[in-house]
Amino acid sequence: MITTVLLVVLALIVAVILTYTARHYFFTINRMVGHHRQPYVDIGVADWPRVTVFVPAHNEEQVISGMLDALLAQDYPADRLQIVPINDRSSDGTARILDEYAGRHPGRIMPFHRQEGLGGKAAALRDATPRFGGEVHLVFDADYLPGRGLVKQLVAPFFDPEVGAVMGRVVPHNVSRSLLTRLLDLERAGGYQVDQQARMNLRLVPQYGGTVGGVRRAALEAVGGWNATTLAEDTDITYRLLLAGWEVVYQNRSECYEEVPENWPTRIRQIMRWTTGHNQALRRHAIPLLRRPHHLPRRLVLDGLLLLGVFAVGPLLLLGWAVAMALLYMGVVPLQGFVALLAITAYGTLGNFAAFFEVATAARLDGTLGRIRILPFLIFGFLVSLLSVSRATLRQVFLPRPREVRTWDKTERYRGGANGGNGAGKARS
Amino acid sequence: MTPGLAFALLLAGTLAWFLLPLIPALRELLRPTDIMPLQVVGRDAADVALFARGFHAYLGRQLSRLPTDTPEEQVGRLPDGTPFVRGRRLPEPLVEEARREEGLDRVVVLLAAGAFGGGETFLREVYATAALAGGPGSIYRALLGDQSVTLGPSSTVLRWAHARGELLVGDGCLLAGRASSDQAIRLGAGVAFDRLAAPRIVVAGGSEVPDLPPSPAAAPLEIPPDRARLVGDHLRVEGDLTIPAGASLQGYLVVTGSLVIGAGATVTGNVKAHGDIAVGEGAQVRGALVARGSIRTALRARVTGPVVAEAEVVFGPGAMIGEPTQPTSVAAPRVELDRGVMVHGLITATDGGQTA
């Protein structure tokens, strides 16, 4: 009986892993030979709508000036661009810096200071957005460095009335700092250049990523605004828009620099935060997606479900290894001879390494072939992700945190030499 | 061999076997060759005149570094070694060289209004500080004019052309890359292009395009509730939709099939169709037009906002896109412009555009 149950579990896990493997290869091949779809990127001249750019900030004195300067330098009609840095109970000099900028640029920079309510980016956005107009609401993290034309590029898709959200490409700036930053540079390239763009090409579900992107205000209001009770408001809004009949589009040429974590503890915290938020979205949106609203084609439902489940693959893989070992020591060989060998080999290699082909393809598309040499080290990043995702998932399942405790699980900032001087990861609301 | 030594050898061999594929990785880790951030942020594809401005700045820097006693008319090299010729007109021997098959391999700087006879090939940039008229069948790598620039029939520009005055393009020309003007681009018949930008882009033959009688007052269109539903700020219609001739519709619209906007109809708001869009004679769209398929406009149709199609855009005779005070963008893999079409702003045809 136990053997049969374990065999069924293993077969299901292998099926899931093989599905994700096939998905990785499908996306990679699409990026190598498929049509590159970016219909809105050539809208360079237009009657631009009013835009509000939100910059949630909690103890960001090291980087907030750079972000505001970059936004002030945007090639966008100044009378249609409103910049709203959200100071969420910072205890450093962030509030002072914002007020100084507002004094120097009255009407253009309008800081929103908040001292009450839930903490965290989603809650800050939920409080701030109803107070400001603008047909389009863009969101940037405080450590980002947008180029001059980025706001125009991100607004252009909203001339399509069906577009509810837009996502640009995030490009690491501090690549040279450590092995981790170089690995994250490769991972980001694979994730955006291949994964996101393939989903755009195939009219699937590109994901709004919470920064370097934005939403149509009417769409946001139609689906009930930002969800303050999730750690992944970006994934959450992607699915609520999808279910309500809006499109999310990805623009590969709308790039923006970011700082990636330079040490492993920070990276692990980041992965665990993403896992928790993504799994919240899985729990909330999987059933509504399976019910399939009539406007959603089956391919969108399938891709949406696979995207929702990406952070469940890690724990499943670990469980699969454990079940396979248990069956081995119980003297059970699931299949016979070469078929078993083939299945185990495929499970053990392709399931792990398909993502590596994505990264290699992304490096080729970006024309940066030198950095591909460190690809073998990506296995370390993969193992750390596997364990971190599994740990976060188990903690979420067995030790759910009280809903009312919401925190700013920030990523450390490194610009200016001081490392981690913003209290990253320690703040509590 | 002792068991300990055998184990050590086995361990060393295993480690070496494991590390072998990591040698390139370890080399790259210890001696990085590619650790700069991707040089992609901030590039501005929508700025069609970017290369022209870059060349003007480059040439200004080079000319300012020439010795002060350098004569105004000169055949020589710029300080960075680039061969150039500067003068009120191109010296006859160099004209002959330009007409040979191999072409003239010099940057040309013309200081007075002038004309080429035709058939020249310029392998480097041509810069004219006054009006320039090219002859037929000439080939230019790139072309910059401080005043008007005329391209003779069947001429080719390989990279970019920019005129601070008008850019007049003769019949059968090929504008590969970018072409722009601070005033207007006038296109002859059979011109092929990739990217055009100007306050006015006009196709010849407008005087031959017939006028339309004035449209009667538009009647508001009511779409039956069983065919449409409100999604946020737009109306979503399942399947195909035809807006009858002379009707008017206000608000954002998404059609999941194809859309036909009848003759003389008016739509105020951004419009999208999952299929094709056909805009009838004299119809107006006061907003953007977006189609996953093609967009075709009939005689004297007007669109004020961006026009984006994922297959092709075909503007019929006398179509007007954008407004003098509010330029806009047209983007599609293929763009066809009929007689008398006028576009205010930017046209991008990633697979190529063509005038009738």
Side-chain angles (χ1 to χ4, degrees):
Chain A
M1 176 64 184
I2 292 175
T3 305
T4 308
V5 170
L6 289 179
L7 277 171
V8 171
V9 169
L10 182 60
L12 288 174
I13 290 172
V14 169
V16 170
I17 300 295
L18 287 177
T19 303
Y20 276 95
T21 302
R23 174 177 176 267
H24 279 305
Y25 280 116
F26 187 50
F27 287 173
T28 304
I29 290 169
N30 173 271
R31 289 300 286 126
M32 289 168 74
V33 300
H35 169 65
H36 185 70
R37 180 172 172 260
Q38 46 178 9
Y40 314 106
V41 79
D42 289 311
I43 300 177
V45 183
D47 185 11
W48 299 101
R50 286 181 57 79
V51 176
T52 304
V53 179
F54 293 95
V55 186
H58 174 77
N59 291 341
E60 298 283 14
E61 65 179 6
Q62 284 180 289
V63 294
I64 192 70
S65 300
M67 179 71 217
L68 295 178
D69 288 339
L71 289 174
L72 286 167
Q74 284 295 308
D75 175 24
Y76 200 89
D79 60 334
R80 299 185 188 187
L81 177 63
Q82 191 176 39
I83 302 165
V84 181
I86 308 172
N87 164 38
D88 193 10
R89 70 201 81 187
S90 298
S91 55
D92 64 355
T94 302
R96 175 184 50 79
I97 294 169
L98 298 186
D99 289 338
E100 282 174 8
Y101 268 85
R104 288 204 301 271
H105 305 281
R108 294 194 70 193
I109 294 186
M110 307 180 74
F112 175 62
H113 300 281
R114 76 192 282 270
Q115 299 295 337
E116 296 174 342
L118 295 173
K121 182 176 169 183
L125 284 169
R126 184 169 179 86
D127 267 11
T129 47
R131 299 165 195 252
F132 296 93
E135 191 177 335
V136 175
H137 285 184
L138 299 183
V139 181
F140 287 94
D141 285 351
D143 61 317
Y144 280 52
L145 294 167
R148 274 192 87 235
L150 187 62
V151 168
K152 268 187 184 174
Q153 287 188 342
L154 291 174
V155 169
F158 289 103
F159 283 107
D160 177 342
E162 198 176 16
V163 170
V166 169
M167 181 64 201
R169 179 179 176 184
V170 177
V171 178
H173 188 256
N174 53 336
V175 185
S176 62
R177 298 299 294 269
S178 66
L179 173 62
L180 175 60
T181 58
R182 300 182 70 182
L183 296 179
L184 290 178
D185 178 57
L186 290 177
E187 278 190 20
R188 295 282 198 278
Y192 285 99
Q193 179 67 275
V194 173
D195 245 40
Q196 286 270 49
Q197 183 60 43
R199 291 204 290 266
M200 180 68 185
N201 291 349
L202 296 161
R203 297 186 196 284
L204 298 175
V205 188
Q207 186 183 356
Y208 168 68
T211 181
V212 193
V215 295
R216 184 189 299 275
R217 187 183 176 202
L220 183 68
E221 288 172 352
V223 299
W226 297 105
N227 182 354
T229 64
T230 177
L231 278 176
E233 81 291 342
D234 43 9
T235 310
D236 182 78
I237 199 74
T238 299
Y239 281 89
R240 284 194 285 142
L241 290 172
L242 179 72
L243 288 164
W246 297 89
E247 267 188 25
V248 179
V249 303
Y250 170 68
Q251 292 226 121
N252 198 47
R253 252 166 58 188
S254 304
E255 300 103 341
C256 185
Y257 284 129
E258 67 153 347
E259 280 188 346
V260 289
E262 295 183 5
N263 57 60
W264 289 99
T266 308
R267 171 63 177 157
I268 289 169
R269 274 204 305 275
Q270 187 182 54
I271 295 170
M272 292 181 69
R273 186 173 74 241
W274 288 352
T275 304
T276 306
H278 206 88
N279 287 343
Q280 286 173 332
L282 170 66
R283 201 167 49 203
R284 187 170 288 148
H285 300 299
I287 300 298
L289 203 56
L290 278 168
R291 286 188 188 134
R292 197 164 84 87
H294 68 279
H295 63 268
L296 276 186
R298 282 194 174 79
R299 60 188 167 79
L300 281 187
V301 174
L302 178 63
D303 184 56
L305 287 170
L306 289 172
L307 183 61
L308 271 180
V310 287
F311 282 90
V313 175
L316 277 180
L317 192 60
L318 283 182
L319 181 63
W321 284 342
V323 171
M325 293 299 287
L327 284 168
L328 180 70
Y329 283 104
M330 288 165 72
V332 180
V333 180
L335 297 166
Q336 295 301 317
F338 288 114
V339 177
L341 190 66
L342 181 67
I344 291 165
T345 309
Y347 176 61
T349 56
L350 297 183
N352 298 354
F353 289 97
F356 289 31
F357 292 103
E358 277 194 358
V359 171
T361 301
R364 181 180 174 277
L365 290 168
D366 282 332
T368 55
L369 294 177
R371 64 190 65 191
I372 208 65
R373 294 192 193 109
I374 63 163
L375 192 68
F377 290 122
L378 211 55
I379 190 71
F380 301 121
F382 172 78
L383 288 172
V384 169
S385 293
L386 185 70
L387 294 173
S388 305
V389 167
S390 301
R391 187 177 151 207
T393 304
L394 290 174
R395 197 170 73 176
Q396 202 172 4
V397 171
F398 295 109
L399 296 169
R401 289 194 292 179
R403 287 173 68 93
E404 66 272 16
V405 179
R406 305 251 60 93
T407 63
W408 268 94
D409 285 326
K410 282 163 55 62
T411 305
E412 289 181 24
R413 306 291 184 236
Y414 307 93
R415 215 176 300 159
N419 197 349
N422 59 353
K426 298 171 188 162
R428 291 289 181 273
S429 59
Chain B
M1 185 182 293
T2 64
L5 181 62
F7 177 75
L9 282 173
L10 178 66
L11 190 65
T14 306
L15 275 176
W17 187 250
F18 177 74
L19 289 173
L20 190 63
L22 292 181
I23 288 174
L26 288 167
R27 277 190 61 184
E28 179 62 26
L29 183 66
L30 298 172
R31 291 183 183 175
T33 62
D34 190 5
I35 54 168
M36 296 302 290
L38 283 181
Q39 297 301 303
V40 291
V41 173
R43 65 185 175 191
D44 194 353
D47 184 0
V48 176
L50 182 71
F51 296 160
R53 280 204 306 278
F55 171 72
H56 190 258
Y58 156 80
L59 193 62
R61 282 194 305 272
Q62 291 293 317
L63 293 176
S64 69
R65 286 169 53 198
L66 288 172
T68 50
D69 58 349
T70 305
E72 191 178 73
E73 308 226 352
Q74 188 193 14
V75 177
R77 289 185 179 273
L78 294 169
D80 68 355
T82 303
F84 86 111
V85 53
R86 178 171 64 172
R88 300 183 65 78
R89 56 193 293 276
L90 194 61
E92 198 54 39
L94 294 184
V95 172
E96 290 304 316
E97 192 176 331
R99 286 183 180 152
R100 287 189 210 122
E101 193 175 350
E102 55 269 28
L104 179 63
D105 189 15
R106 286 180 185 278
V107 170
V108 177
V109 180
L110 294 173
L111 303 172
F116 295 132
E120 301 88 357
T121 298
F122 298 95
L123 301 177
R124 294 178 189 262
E125 293 84 353
V126 175
Y127 170 44
T129 60
L132 172 68
S138 295
I139 299 172
Y140 306 88
R141 181 181 193 273
L143 195 52
L144 173 62
D146 280 348
Q147 296 182 23
S148 68
V149 172
T150 303
L151 292 174
S154 303
S155 293
T156 298
V157 178
L158 298 171
R159 298 289 180 88
W160 52 264
H162 180 77
R164 292 186 172 141
E166 291 199 345
L167 175 62
L168 299 105
V169 184
D171 293 349
C173 282
L174 167 62
L175 303 173
R178 304 165 174 222
S180 52
S181 163
D182 292 345
Q183 293 184 5
I185 298 176
R186 298 186 182 279
L187 302 167
V191 173
F193 58 87
D194 289 338
R195 307 194 78 196
L196 305 173
R200 280 176 298 140
I201 302 167
V202 188
V203 182
S207 58
E208 303 157 18
V209 178
D211 286 326
L212 290 171
S215 300
L221 174 68
E222 295 289 336
I223 300 176
D226 62 328
R227 290 220 52 209
R229 66 187 175 97
L230 197 60
V231 179
D233 60 351
H234 71 258
L235 196 65
R236 184 182 175 97
V237 177
E238 301 295 334
D240 297 339
L241 177 70
T242 298
I243 297 173
S248 75
L249 185 67
Q250 193 143 8
Y252 290 0
L253 176 68
V254 173
V255 178
T256 63
S258 290
L259 171 66
V260 176
I261 301 173
T266 302
V267 179
T268 305
N270 296 342
V271 175
K272 179 189 187 178
H274 290 187
D276 300 329
I277 296 178
V279 184
E281 288 186 1
Q284 290 190 39
V285 178
R286 296 179 188 141
L289 266 186
V290 181
R292 290 183 182 174
S294 65
I295 294 175
R296 290 172 180 273
T297 70
L299 183 70
R300 293 205 180 277
R302 294 187 66 170
V303 184
T304 62
V307 178
V308 178
E310 295 195 42
E312 65 175 352
V313 167
V314 180
F315 290 135
M320 183 183 287
I321 312 300
E323 294 175 326
T325 55
Q326 187 49 69
T328 194
S329 302
V330 176
R334 294 178 301 281
V335 176
E336 288 183 28
L337 310 176
D338 210 326
R339 293 164 299 139
V341 168
M342 182 180 292
V343 176
H344 299 279
L346 169 67
I347 303 175
T348 304
T350 48
D351 292 346
Q354 185 83 32
T355 63

